[in-house]
Amino acid sequence: MAAISREEVAHLARLARIEMTDAELDHLASEMDLILESVSRVQGVAGEDIPPTSHAIAMHNVMRPDVVVPSLTPEESLSGAPAREENRFKVPQILGEE
Amino acid sequence: MALNYDQALEKYEPTLGLEVHVELNTASKMFCGCATDFGALPNTQTCPVCLGLPGSLPVVNAKAIESSIRIGLALNCSIAPFSRFARKNYFYPDMPKNFQTSQYDEPICINGYLDVTIDTDEGLKVYRVDIERVHMEEDTGKSLHVGGATGRIHGAEHSLLDYNRAGIPLVEIVTRIIPGTDKYAPEVARAYVAELRDILRSLGVSDVKMEQGSLRCDANVSIAPRDSQTLGTRSETKNVNSLRSVERAVRGEIIRQANRLEAGERIIQETRHFQEESGETRSGRSKEQAEDYRYFPEPDLLPIVADPAWIEELRLALPEKPSVHRKKIQEAWGVPDKEMAAMVNAELLTTVEETVALGAEPTKARSWWLGEISRLANEKSVEPTSLIQPSEVAQIIALIASGELTDKLARQVVEGVINGEGDPRMVIEKRGLKVVSDDSALMVAIEAAIASQPETAERIRGGNIPAAGALIGAVMKATGGQADAAKVRELLLKHLGQG
Amino acid sequence: MSTPIISQTAAQMSAELVAGSVTAVELTNAHLDRIAAVDGDVHAFLHIDREGALAQANAVDASRKAGEKLHPLAGVPLALKDVLAQKGVPTTCGSKMLEGWRPPYDATVVTNLKKAGVVILGKTNMDEFAMGSSTENSAYGPTRNPWDLSRIPGGSGGGSSAALASFEAPLAIGTDTGGSIRQPAAVTGTVGVKPTYGAVSRYGLVAFSSSLDQAGPCARTVLDTAMLHEVIAGYDPKDSTSINAPVGKMVEAAKKLDIKGMKIGVVKELGGEGYQSGVTIRFNEALEALVSAGAEIVEVSAPSFEYALAAYYLIAPSEASSNLARFDSMRYGIRVGDDGSRSAEAVMNMTREVGFGKEVKRRIILGTYALSSGYYDAYYGSAQKIRTLIKRDYDAAFVKVDVLVSPTCPTTAFKIGEKSNDPVAMYLNDVCTIPVNLAGIGSMSLPCGLAPEDGLPVGFQIMSPAMKDELMYQVGGTLEAALQSSWGKPLYASAPELAVK
Ligand SMILES: [Zn+2]
């Protein structure tokens, strides 16, 4: 049995905001199946008592003082914008709501 | 026929939960050194970090951590010995990285409470609101929708993004379900937000301006039939930007939900937006299909391990709680409960305190702010504090005390200050409102009045004291109301041999 | 016969610059000429910053003339992997998504290089967003291995390693998430170091997997690598994970040439069956050289390493799925499908469809899956626990030995196209390099000879405990000297001549 269905891959693509053709979804679903088969060996290896490691070099409380440093100029901030209007980033109409 | 609030409450029991977002007033942003000034020109307070440029990395603002811990302490929370940031993954154009750096299962403060007092049919009653968590996160940018209908999102042709607000530190304070509020749910909601705001203000951690969005409240409301054992489906109302709106939004939502259930419809789990004009809520995004935020620990930031000694230090340095402070003030001024509640409810305690601090007598300060000034503010639909300064009110009260103004004249001075005619002295000057207290000037007017009404003067000389009213009235008229009536009476009677 | 300047080591170039026998401008021009002559075939560079490089070189020459005290590497050219932001210079990460993007800021690594007067020649090719082991996943075409143009130069940093092996630059910067510095070094006969996580700032390094990514120095010799290491390493308050401690003395360690009494552990799990015979032969010869130099070889076992690859291919894609979410066409990069009628959401979907290549999409989907509710514990959570086990294996090993060694990769360079349709086989390339990233420790790859069966370079990996990067330089420097004296010349000098245009 496949570990992951084509519909699941389509759902993941939606979550990841990537449009995909049917052919791409089919192909990816079969590849994902193989990959998942090989990575699922991580399951059950470490017991309950093993803590997860999110940072290999353990440190904590790294902070900066609340001091203002110069920002970019708006010109610099907007330098990569695909479109702009005055000093704002111009984007297509946003459908969702806040 | 639609149910009103009381009818809705007869059949259904409401359940309330509140999420409050507070923008901290740090000088720099949560994860970068950009300034946080309100109202700056678009994208002038942005850098690689808060624009989410490829390669940029966050570094936590120490002051934001400290403020969050102080908020937790003031809300009687436990400070987590180990907490950290997590990424909340979802796409939205005003969020530069398409994930929000937030806290998930390891928030910085947990399990607190806040007591609020409201006026019920049975007198003042205290409700304990349990706080589930206090966590840190970052604000989003702002979008402006251009073209289409009146700036609303639907129908907009394109949107314009300003990231000045992106990355401003936010603290989210989440209550548990507040049990037993019953019909007082709207009042409890309002009192909670008001009390929370006062605490935050006393801590000095935020501007707490609801109208500017530095304090935002989301109200989670559900209702269930009175005989039901389970909770109803909840809605989350956003866009509630004043204390009054908090109360109205909760009330409106209870009525709406009750009427839906009456009509045989079900409640949809969704975000709703409060409409200031109608007092109703409008449907927003449906949350039926739960978002999958794929939280995971933020690898670019390290855990926060709060040192107990530091927490103790912060705890000891906390300011007096607003509730304790209020009690002290009430005792010192000798204010009855009801009036104290009225002053707190009108948001004028701090203002009255400031006025008193400038030398005004507490009773006078209270009656000016809650009386004449509130009345004028109400007429103009503005806040009393936007009309006149405590220093000006204190000055006017001082002028009355010294006899330079009468109450009647003082009202004109207040009006002048509000009209922008300058400070009280300038208004007095310009309008010529000085009390006529010069005896010789008054004597001229008194003699003129006697001369014009000799019969009345005779009656007074004969001992008919009440007849003096007519002459006093004439003198007051002649002096344009600027004379002190008591003084006029004294001089007149003396002059006619009755003093 | 004097060697042409471009074939010299960075240390030699530095000496010539100091002696005044060559200027920084001459040295830069010599390399720019070499790039013009051979890069048509090799395709190591995505962008050549001729003007910027010459301006930097000029400034160095002027400072030298004025008698200012300069860094030893001032005026020495360098190739920069295109995953690091350089102000005003195109930075694409090998992706179509960032075509034309010029960052408004410098990565801290770039700031440090500029401060030292290192001349940045341009940006080198890479697998898109550093995802790959062959540089075939670049949106701008593959880079070819200078030892055999039909083969891959390793990846993701194939551009940087190929630039070194083809004498287009004596120094290069790479980044290593699962082996992207070391594996390219191994298959091109060059040296590459992944420092301890946090030793080199990640600020300005476009993130692939934040908890694994680490920039590091690449060169043709251990000493050159050490010199570059000292330039780019150091505490950076802009990177929360940066280590706040002084940088160790890497150059001194590389020059020690003494490993008497050191204990060197051979990791049992990283070798043997499945490894190309020539790789095993050269690896064993290197061990003998270490013994001759006075080290003691000990076999150690790291039982959790067999799960490292699986854990890596969950952690890295998970973090990547989040890190790459920002590429949505709103603020920078390309935008596709904005015809005035489509919504922002639709334009994002279309841009990400067109802007990302196959491998990147594959990993984003895999990472999205591993983090999604209901699967988190089974995948991401389990992988993070494997990390703990791997760390413990290293900790236990480093109690017994000073450094650990293994082949850098199981095979020599494979043919372009050979594995591109088999992602799982491709992932196996990184089996020896990945455990290091999961544990955050430092590691070096240096050449240990040519495999007899194909005449291609074999890489030798040295792993040192966290924050003890000096140890790998000490062992690497000694091994390099021993091997070169047995070969009679450095390995890179045996590379076939490239056709010059
Ligand atoms: Zn910023």
Side-chain angles (χ1 to χ4, degrees), chain A residues 61 64 66 69 77 87 89 94, chain B residues 28-29 32 43 46 153 305:
Chain A
N61 294 357
R64 61 178 182 83
D66 181 28
V69 298
S77 289
N87 277 350
F89 293 86
I94 299 169
Chain B
S28 64
K29 291 187 180 180
C32 65
N43 293 303
T46 57
I153 294 177
V305 177

Side-chain angles (χ1 to χ4, degrees), chain A residues 11 15-17 52 54-55 57-74 77-78 84-85 87-98, chain B residues 26-29 32-34 42-46 48 51 59-63 84 91-92 153 156-161 163 273 282 284-285 294 299 301-305:
Chain A
H11 171 68
L15 274 180
R17 282 267 156 88
S54 56
H55 293 89
I57 309 294
M59 294 194 283
H60 59 261
N61 294 357
V62 177
M63 301 175 202
R64 61 178 182 83
D66 181 28
V67 174
V68 174
V69 298
S71 297
L72 294 175
T73 64
S77 289
L78 287 142
R84 61 186 280 188
E85 199 167 291
N87 277 350
R88 290 186 172 91
F89 293 86
K90 185 179 173 185
V91 304
Q93 52 174 320
I94 299 169
L95 274 190
E97 279 183 306
E98 286 170 272
Chain B
T26 51
S28 64
K29 291 187 180 180
C32 65
C34 287
N43 293 303
T44 52
Q45 292 174 169
T46 57
L51 285 172
V59 185
V60 171
N61 184 335
K63 176 85 181 294
R84 60 179 160 181
F91 284 81
Y92 204 82
I153 294 177
E157 271 165 19
H158 62 269
S159 302
L160 297 175
L161 297 169
Y163 293 101
H273 295 262
R282 174 171 61 76
R285 188 173 46 199
R294 290 159 283 133
L301 294 170
L302 295 149
I304 299 146
V305 177

Side-chain angles (χ1 to χ4, degrees), chain C residues 6-8 13 163-164 167 169-170 190-191 219-222 480 492:
Chain C
I6 56 164
S7 326
Q8 292 182 7
M13 291 177 196
L164 296 171
F167 303 97
T190 57
V191 181
R220 287 188 289 265
T221 70
V222 173
E480 177 186 65
Y492 59 81

Side-chain angles (χ1 to χ4, degrees), chain B residues 170-203:
Chain B
L170 284 183
V171 164
E172 183 174 343
I173 300 156
V174 184
T175 69
R176 293 188 195 286
I177 284 175
I178 308 164
T181 58
D182 214 332
K183 69 171 178 177
Y184 295 111
E187 287 84 358
V188 170
R190 177 191 175 131
Y192 167 75
V193 178
E195 186 69 23
L196 183 58
R197 189 203 48 186
D198 288 352
I199 286 181
L200 296 167
R201 186 183 284 143
S202 76
L203 292 170

Side-chain angles (χ1 to χ4, degrees), chain A residues 18 20 24, chain C residues 94-97 128-129 131 137-139 351-364:
Chain A
I18 304 176
M20 282 193 189
E24 244 181 314
Chain C
S95 180
K96 197 171 174 180
M97 188 62 97
E128 184 177 2
F129 289 110
M131 297 179 189
N137 298 333
S138 167
T351 303
R352 289 167 67 79
E353 156 77 336
V354 173
F356 288 140
K358 253 167 83 175
E359 181 64 24
V360 172
K361 284 186 215 166
R362 186 150 51 213
R363 296 204 199 183
I364 289 175

